[in-house]
Structures are given as structure tokens and as C-alpha cells.
Amino acid sequence: MASIKEKVPTKSLEASRKFTHMRGAQQYASKHGFLVVAPDTAQVSIMIGSIVSLLMISVDVVILKWKTNYRLFSYVTKELPSLVAANFKVESDKAGIMGHRYEAIFEDYVYIMGGHGALICALKNPGQYKSVSAFAPICNPVNCPWGVKAFSGYLGEGNKDAWKDYDACELAKKYNGPPLEIMVDQGKADNFLTQGQLLPDNLVSACAEGGVPIIMRMQEGYDHSYYFMATFMADHFDHHAKFLKA
């Protein structure tokens, strides 16, 4: 990991601890001088149960029986950055976020989380993150089976306006904040892509409508595996470095 003798940028990665162990993130963090923050959000699904893996859906639940305990969006965007700033030497104004399956955030220190979560954390908080990237994210949950099932359970079946507040495509269409360039890698052999769960083309169209720059890289022959991430992880750290070290 990067030295913390001096203040460094933070990179938040929405994912479990396996993210850093299995994808070689440490070497790239060291190269760029980033602190990587990888919250183990997997514990949330164990505590309260889930309709769909909670790691994929970074929301503040409004349904009464889960409302008190499941506020992952607020945890990642408010509570966690405060804890990091209070305990480590970081440049809190230089943060980035990245994700795959789980979710992530980058700064002069870095957080790790899921692709969908990384996108909405950046788009819903203009200026909080200088950079954002994702591997194979759920891009348009209001229009895919996973998203409809999760949002119905967590935000209310008839509360469609609340769904849009946590949908990357809807947020990109109305984004009004500092320049933010999104980078996404998507494997063409990803079975979730062919099942209509990820919908990357919708995100490209939404970004065009909202004037949000996006780099969408469709990678031939790659699926949704650890090897996919390991292959292109260095590119994502380089992407974040462009903005966090500018």
C-alpha cells in the first residue's frame, strides 16, 4: 500500500477485501501513491438478508424493516470518508471511486466497492470524487431484472421516482457538476451482459444526453471474472491518476 508519512490521495473501491488480494491492486496503489480503502460491505447482506446481493445495490433503504440498518450509500459517501480522514493522512479533496460487483471510491486514498455503486456515488455527489471507473457495472437498474427486484424490495414497488435517484443512467442525463469522465470496462463474453442485466449501451446514450464524457471499452472474450479485472486494473489506476494527481 502507499506510504502514509505524507498526505496522499484516496481511492475508494466498492468491493470486498478479495478485490485487492486477487486483482493486484496493491502494486498500482504503490506506483501512484494512493491509499486504497476497501470496505467489506458483504457483512451487510449477512446481517439483514437480501433480495439481491446487497453489494450490487448501494442505496439507503426506505422500507421500514431494513431502513435502520441498511444505509450503504450514506456509509460509503459520508461515514467512511470521515473515518478515513480522521485516522489517516489523506488529501480529502482528492478522492476517486471504482467498483466491480461490490463498490469502490478513489481519493488521494482509495475506496473499493461495486460498479453500480461507484457510478451513482460519483453522479449523486458532484465534486466529491475527482474520478470514477467501473468494471461491468449494472448501468440501468430501473430497466433490468436485478434492479427492478432490488429496488422494489428496498425502495418500494410503487416508488419509481426514488428508483431513478439511484440509477446511473437517470443521474447521468441530469448531471450538473464539475467535469467528470467515466471509464467503464465491459467483457463481451459476460453472461450477465447477454442476459440484459448490465445494459452498457444505455449508459453511453445517457451520458451523451447529459454531456458526461465516458470511455466505454467492450473487451472481446472477457467475462465477469477476477481475471477480467486483473487484466485491466492498471488502466483504471492510470485513469484515476490523471485526475487525482493533476
Side-chain angles (χ1 to χ4, degrees), residues 19 41 88 97 179 190 194 203 226 237 242:
F19 185 102
T41 52
F88 297 93
I97 185 162
D190 188 329
T194 58
L203 181 60
Y226 295 129
F237 270 77
K242 285 192 306 181

Side-chain angles (χ1 to χ4, degrees), residues 19-245:
F19 185 102
T20 49
H21 295 334
M22 302 187 72
R23 299 166 181 82
Q26 296 96 328
Q27 62 181 309
Y28 308 123
S30 179
K31 171 187 174 182
H32 293 294
F34 291 154
L35 172 66
V36 177
V37 181
D40 190 2
T41 52
Q43 299 304 315
V44 178
S45 60
I46 295 172
M47 288 190 297
I48 68 173
S50 76
I51 298 170
V52 172
S53 173
L54 299 188
L55 298 175
M56 297 188 299
I57 307 296
S58 294
V59 303
D60 285 345
V61 172
V62 299
I63 299 301
L64 185 59
K65 64 179 179 178
W66 290 331
K67 183 176 181 179
T68 300
N69 294 321
Y70 190 69
R71 301 185 62 78
L72 183 56
F73 180 79
S74 289
Y75 168 66
V76 170
T77 60
K78 297 177 182 178
E79 182 180 354
L80 186 59
S82 296
L83 289 171
V84 171
N87 291 279
F88 297 93
K89 295 179 180 179
V90 296
E91 296 178 279
S92 297
D93 61 335
K94 292 184 178 180
I97 185 162
M98 178 178 80
H100 170 65
R101 295 188 186 180
Y102 318 97
E103 338 237 289
I105 308 167
F106 284 87
E107 288 192 29
D108 205 358
Y109 47 100
V110 182
Y111 302 93
I112 300 180
M113 54 193 289
H116 166 261
L119 295 175
I120 65 168
C121 285
L123 291 167
K124 282 176 70 68
N125 295 281
Q128 182 169 344
Y129 306 107
K130 303 292 186 183
S131 54
V132 58
S133 73
F135 288 89
I138 300 172
C139 295
N140 193 192
V142 301
N143 287 316
C144 77
W146 280 345
V148 170
K149 189 174 183 180
F151 284 171
S152 295
Y154 301 146
L155 302 176
E157 190 169 352
N159 197 7
K160 299 295 179 67
D161 287 339
W163 294 16
K164 292 180 180 180
D165 285 341
Y166 289 101
D167 184 290
C169 287
E170 297 296 332
L171 293 169
K173 291 176 185 177
K174 60 181 183 181
Y175 181 76
N176 183 22
L180 182 70
E181 183 180 84
I182 298 171
M183 178 176 177
V184 174
D185 270 309
Q186 172 62 60
K188 286 188 175 182
D190 188 329
N191 61 318
F192 301 133
L193 175 66
T194 58
Q195 291 170 13
Q197 300 285 12
L198 305 180
L199 305 175
D201 291 342
N202 292 10
L203 181 60
V204 172
S205 297
C207 286
E209 182 176 334
V212 178
I214 183 169
I215 302 169
M216 178 66 72
R217 308 196 309 182
M218 302 298 293
Q219 304 291 2
E220 194 72 46
Y222 283 91
D223 57 14
H224 205 78
S225 69
Y226 295 129
Y227 305 106
F228 165 53
M229 288 194 68
T231 300
F232 302 106
M233 181 61 69
D235 294 348
H236 282 248
F237 270 77
D238 289 345
H239 170 77
H240 289 271
K242 285 192 306 181
F243 303 98
L244 298 181
K245 301 177 77 172

